[in-house]
Amino acid sequence: AVFKALGHPARLQVVNELAAGERCVCDLVDLTGLGWSTVSRHLAVLKSVGVIADDKRGLQVFYRLKLPCVARFCACLRVAGAGQDVSFTVGACCESKAS
């Protein structure tokens, strides 16, 4: 489901932007050059598979990466696609909280 969600260039663009930190919807609309409803649909897809999370503050909604490993994976693919050697250590992406 995550790979399918990342299958659209606009969603990859959003993930790459959120890798730098939290952004409001208005920033993501400006970044992609798409309309509000289109960006909202892309955000809903990413949120539904757990890649991003949102936080409503007043009238604005801010988004952040919930799975930072997705941004690292995309960066790795970009580097490899540019013909550079990549190496990476696999570790836990998310820590489980003990009850």
Side-chain angles (χ1 to χ4, degrees):
V2 171
F3 286 113
K4 186 174 181 180
L6 296 173
H8 193 282
R11 290 194 285 264
L12 281 175
Q13 194 176 18
V14 167
V15 167
N16 289 331
E17 183 67 15
L18 293 178
E22 182 180 78
R23 298 287 184 270
C24 71
V25 176
C26 57
D27 292 336
L28 300 173
V29 168
D30 290 342
L31 169 77
T32 61
L34 301 171
W36 282 80
S37 62
T38 303
V39 171
S40 291
R41 276 183 272 145
H42 287 309
L43 292 169
V45 169
L46 292 168
K47 184 178 174 185
S48 72
V49 297
V51 172
I52 63 173
D54 63 354
D55 181 30
K56 187 169 183 179
R57 297 181 202 146
L59 298 176
Q60 290 188 320
V61 180
F62 290 82
Y63 286 87
R64 63 178 170 76
L65 279 180
K66 190 173 176 181
L67 294 177
C69 56
V70 171
R72 290 190 299 268
F73 176 71
C74 292
C76 180
L77 292 176
R78 274 193 309 280
V79 169
Q84 297 178 15
D85 288 335
V86 294
S87 65
F88 113 2
T89 304
V90 177
C93 173
C94 306
E95 293 181 17
S96 164
K97 293 182 181 180
S99 299

